[in-house]
Amino acid sequence: MCAGGPRELLDFPAAVLDGRNVLTLGGWWHEVGWALLHGACHSPAQCPHEPGVGKGQAAVDAYLTGLAVDTLLVNVHCHV
């Protein structure tokens, strides 16, 4: 965990994070350049749910800033 909680993560150099792709606590995968994907649904076209986080890096940054300071953050280097 970052010493300053999720807010501290936003101060890391962009080269370290290379964009902040995020899996939210609500099960939404936000990846730069891709449609939002909800873990409970088979595809974005079939998903009736509304994400709690808007599209784009600014929305992801705002989500991270709003997390509790004791939130555990994990940096995933690769996903399938």
Side-chain angles (χ1 to χ4, degrees), residues 4 8-9 13 21 24 32 35 37 40-41 43 49 52-53 57 66 68 73 80:
E8 188 75 16
L9 177 70
N21 299 332
T24 69
V32 176
L37 185 60
C41 299
S43 74
H49 307 103
V53 179
Q57 197 62 61
L73 299 173
V80 181

Side-chain angles (χ1 to χ4, degrees), residues 37-63:
L37 185 60
H38 190 222
C41 299
H42 294 289
S43 74
Q46 296 175 341
C47 183
H49 307 103
E50 290 293 325
V53 179
K55 293 181 183 178
Q57 197 62 61
V60 169
D61 289 350
Y63 172 78

